[in-house]
Amino acid sequence: MSARLQLRDLRVAYDRNLAVTIDHLAVEPGTLAAVIGANGAGKSTLINAIANWSRAAPRLSGEILIDGEAVGGKSADHLARRGVVLVPEGRGVFMGLTVEENLRAGLFAARAGGRAYSLADIYTLFPRLRERRSNLGGSLSGGERQMLAIGRALRMAPRLLLLDEPSIGLAPRLVSLLLETIRALADGGLTVFLVEQNVRAAIAVADSLYLLERGRVVASGDVAAMKDDPRIIEAYLGARN
Amino acid sequence: MNIAQQLVNGIIIGHAYALVAIGWTLLLGAARLVNFGHGQIYMVSAFVAWWIMSMTGAPYVLAVVVAIAAGAVIGAIMQRLFLRLTLSQDLVNLMIATLGFGQILEGAAGLTFGPKPETLTSPLQAVTFDFGPVWFTAQDALAVGATILVFLGLHVVLNRTRFGAAVRMVAEDPPLVALYGIPISRVYISIFAFEGAAVALAATLIAPRTPILTSMGFEQVVMTFVVVVLGGIGSVGGSYVAGLLLGLFTAIFSALISPAYTTAAVFALLIAFMVLRPGKLAAGGNFAR
Ligand SMILES: Nc1ncnc2c1ncn2[C@@H]1O[C@H](COP(=O)(O)OP(=O)(O)OP(=O)(O)O)[C@@H](O)[C@H]1O
Ligand SMILES: [Mg+2]
């Protein structure tokens, strides 16, 4: 069986600045892969490129394969309907829509490929959202907003869930709660690709780890092996202060 | 002067202004776009209706339907033509391009329909209601009723349906819309088509009041501009109120002073409003209310 996600010779550039260079990367179905790296390492550029989405307009080259199918050049909305679902950095939900409107707004195809979570499923996963179902996205706390962003993504039957720094700006207790939920989703068969600056949190939940520096993967492997890698320890200590 | 009759006239003209402006309001509020060819779509739709009726002898109702379809098609064509400017929210170039498109429509209409004033005849023009000192036609009543229905309908669609949610999403954060799996150009095309259809409906309901000319588009876009700005740029409810107040102002001003200076007076009002309340003009995220 082919990998859920494969990148080959991926290059992403802003004007003349090459921000991401990945020669090869593969994520197996039902696993949770995490990319860690410092500010400006290229994490967002990489994860956005997989969804062919960006607020800027970087240039992409190379191959992106989803379940063996080359999807380079497919629009972001097409990919989203086909189950490549991105929760972007920062504001990932609509402030002017209520929680429930955000959860109902997504459009996905019957052949998106993953399990489509019902509204009830999402409310079971994040009970807080049920309480706030008629509140506007703009009135939510950072944590609630992140839950909503993930809930919205799950509604779209993701084959591949792409998460850009889900832990950012959240209290430590909420970070573990959120990441444990994501881990449980992966245990249930969902394929997750997430990028994180919070190395400790990523190590706690991921199956495989990629350390990104200046747009390149400088170390990668199973979490069990990677956690003792001196470069990770260095990055981890670096991230702490 | 007959004050009561002027008030009735004002209410009718006001609803006409509001109905002509509703498409622009949505275009600006939801898509942050402008269309200075708006008035020429009004003109072309009126002529399409007139042409259908005089060429084929079709009834007024059928002419209205065809004109609305023509308006929607023109709107959709404009969206396709200016897609790149639309997606990049390039307002200055879009203003010039749509202004130019309007001029082309006007030229084409002049060639096709000639320079003479024509009359679009609605059977409802002949039906009048007299209530002591005031009177109005069934056509006037239809225009007012249709305006109210279109505004209420738009309000419900925007706030209660998934399509309306998509329009509000486009208003708030266009790039993010794609991540919800929604093709944004489809939403834009619907908004443009609605704009064209709504102004065409307005044209067929209002144009029977006066002779129609291929040069009448400019005046329509000017009044629409004023209604949209006074209503709080892109606010749906605001446009309705602004249209109504502007209609009352125009009617009373024409009766008390002179119809010749109405446009000047309307602009004086607009400038005063802009100077006095500069911060309050944009509806922002609340345009759907
Ligand atoms: N819109 C843009 N235009 C030009 N260069 C950009 C743009 N966005 C990012 N870059 C550059 O690309 C590189 C990678 O940025 P990116 O946002 O992917 O990093 P990141 O790892 O996500 O950082 P952070 O942890 O701060 O979110 C940086 O050098 C950045 O300066
Ligand atoms: Mg980032």
Side-chain angles (χ1 to χ4, degrees):
Chain A
M1 194 179 166
S2 63
R4 176 58 39 94
L5 168 71
Q6 260 193 86
L7 306 178
R8 291 191 201 137
D9 297 318
L10 181 72
R11 306 278 181 278
V12 190
Y14 296 98
D15 290 323
R16 298 177 157 267
N17 282 331
L18 195 56
V20 163
T21 310
I22 308 272
D23 295 325
H24 187 259
L25 186 155
V27 178
E28 295 305 317
T31 64
L32 198 168
V35 173
I36 53 178
N39 285 118
K43 303 182 300 296
S44 297
T45 304
L46 168 62
I47 201 165
N48 288 347
I50 297 169
N52 196 18
W53 183 83
S54 174
R55 291 186 185 276
R59 254 179 320 109
L60 270 67
S61 69
E63 271 192 291
I64 300 170
L65 298 111
I66 304 289
D67 291 322
E69 182 195 348
V71 296
K74 294 268 197 293
S75 65
D77 59 273
H78 175 92
L79 288 171
R81 286 194 300 280
R82 296 296 312 279
V84 179
V85 184
L86 168 68
V87 175
E89 189 171 53
R91 267 180 57 155
V93 301
F94 287 94
M95 308 288 162
L97 265 59
T98 65
V99 166
E100 195 145 316
E101 280 177 326
N102 266 291
L103 290 173
R104 285 182 187 281
L107 208 66
F108 58 93
R111 57 206 174 115
R115 167 181 169 203
Y117 288 72
S118 68
L119 220 52
D121 293 335
I122 302 299
Y123 289 148
T124 309
L125 211 53
F126 302 114
R128 195 76 190 114
L129 293 182
R130 187 198 300 275
E131 292 164 34
R132 310 219 54 185
R133 66 210 286 177
S134 358
N135 291 86
L136 290 179
S139 72
L140 301 182
S141 72
E144 290 165 343
R145 209 171 283 174
Q146 199 56 253
M147 293 174 196
L148 177 57
I150 294 171
R152 183 284 298 178
L154 292 174
R155 290 269 293 146
M156 295 181 65
R159 261 193 290 176
L160 175 62
L161 179 62
L162 303 163
L163 302 172
D164 193 344
E165 301 212 40
S167 79
I168 202 158
L170 303 189
R173 227 167 36 107
L174 203 53
V175 171
S176 11
L177 181 88
L178 206 63
L179 287 172
E180 276 161 26
T181 307
I182 294 167
R183 178 67 250 176
L185 291 168
D187 290 338
L190 183 68
T191 315
V192 183
F193 185 85
L194 69 85
V195 307
E196 261 300 341
Q197 245 184 93
N198 187 335
V199 177
R200 186 210 294 261
I203 287 178
V205 296
D207 296 310
S208 57
L209 222 51
Y210 299 84
L211 175 60
L212 201 66
E213 275 176 16
R214 288 193 202 85
R216 290 172 183 276
V217 176
V218 294
S220 66
D222 285 349
V223 162
M226 286 283 284
K227 8 191 221 229
D228 305 318
D229 191 301
R231 286 166 298 189
I232 300 283
I233 291 168
E234 193 189 315
Y236 169 52
L237 293 175
R240 243 206 338 202
N241 52 41
Chain B
M1 134 183 144
N2 178 347
I3 279 283
Q5 182 62 45
Q6 291 313 328
L7 287 179
V8 169
N9 289 350
I11 289 169
I12 295 163
I13 301 169
H15 281 78
Y17 289 154
L19 187 58
V20 174
I22 192 172
W24 233 63
T25 302
L26 186 68
L27 194 66
L28 194 62
R32 306 261 177 272
L33 298 172
V34 294
N35 177 5
F36 281 91
H38 184 77
Q40 278 83 15
I41 302 182
Y42 176 95
M43 177 274 297
V44 166
S45 309
F47 271 93
V48 165
W50 164 79
W51 188 82
I52 297 272
M53 288 177 77
S54 53
M55 285 299 135
T56 68
Y60 173 69
V61 184
L62 186 66
V64 171
V65 172
V66 174
I68 291 174
V73 169
I74 296 174
I77 289 174
M78 290 186 84
Q79 198 278 340
R80 290 320 290 186
L81 278 179
F82 307 134
L83 183 62
R84 209 175 43 78
L85 301 177
T86 307
L87 292 179
S88 59
Q89 299 261 294
D90 185 345
L91 279 198
V92 173
N93 283 327
L94 198 63
M95 188 179 108
I96 296 166
T98 55
L99 202 64
F101 188 86
Q103 290 308 306
I104 293 169
L105 280 184
E106 190 166 324
L111 276 177
T112 315
F113 303 115
K116 278 195 298 118
E118 304 289 352
T119 16
L120 175 63
T121 341
S122 159
L124 298 178
Q125 269 308 87
V127 183
T128 57
F129 300 104
D130 276 281
F131 296 100
V134 303
W135 69 277
F136 53 88
T137 68
Q139 184 71 17
D140 296 334
L142 175 68
V144 170
T147 303
I148 292 169
L149 280 182
V150 172
F151 270 88
L152 286 178
L154 182 63
H155 183 85
V156 170
V157 168
L158 282 176
N159 291 295
R160 296 280 155 78
T161 68
R162 271 183 77 185
F163 177 74
V167 173
R168 285 184 285 141
M169 288 159 78
V170 168
E172 182 181 321
D173 187 347
L176 190 58
V177 173
L179 295 185
Y180 279 60
I182 299 171
I184 193 162
S185 56
R186 297 262 182 88
V187 182
Y188 278 134
I189 216 168
S190 313
I191 293 172
F192 265 90
F194 171 80
E195 193 225 352
V199 75
L201 171 69
T204 53
L205 296 183
I206 295 154
R209 291 170 57 89
T210 50
I212 58 174
L213 280 162
T214 54
S215 58
M216 71 181 175
F218 182 69
E219 193 190 321
Q220 296 300 331
V221 78
V222 163
M223 283 319 250
T224 288
F225 186 74
V226 176
V227 168
V228 168
V229 172
L230 289 181
I233 309 230
S235 155
V236 172
S239 281
Y240 178 77
V241 175
L244 187 56
L245 292 179
L246 198 64
L248 289 168
F249 175 81
T250 323
I252 291 174
F253 184 90
S254 321
L256 285 181
I257 301 170
S258 155
Y261 307 117
T262 321
T263 310
V266 163
F267 271 95
L269 190 74
L270 177 71
I271 291 170
F273 188 83
M274 288 174 122
V275 171
L276 294 176
R277 303 186 53 198
K280 296 267 185 172
L281 287 177
N286 293 327
F287 81 93
R289 306 280 142 76

